[in-house]
Amino acid sequence: MTGIAQKELAIHAGIKYTTFRSQEQTGSPSVKLMAYYLGAFGVDFNFILGGDSSRLPADARQEILTHLA
């Protein structure tokens, strides 16, 4: 959705790529990673942890829906 490779996301978030992959696979993102998503993309913690799409910016919500269709 972001157009950024996972390795680049990890670098921008300030975490190791292996840590990023582990957090993604387990569905347990760190506070550092969630804070990065909030600051960089406006993706709210409530969406990341519980799927509450009402807390997303409209453009992010539309982009996610496009990928789900």
Side-chain angles (χ1 to χ4, degrees), residues 6-7 11 13 16 20-22 24 26 30-33 35 38 40-41 46 53-54 56-57 59 63 69:
Q6 290 180 336
K7 287 185 180 181
I11 291 168
K16 293 180 182 179
F20 175 86
R21 290 286 299 142
S22 175
E24 183 180 76
T26 62
S30 65
V31 170
K32 188 173 188 174
L33 184 57
L38 180 62
F41 306 108
N46 292 300
S53 63
S54 68
L56 290 174
D59 61 332
E63 186 69 22

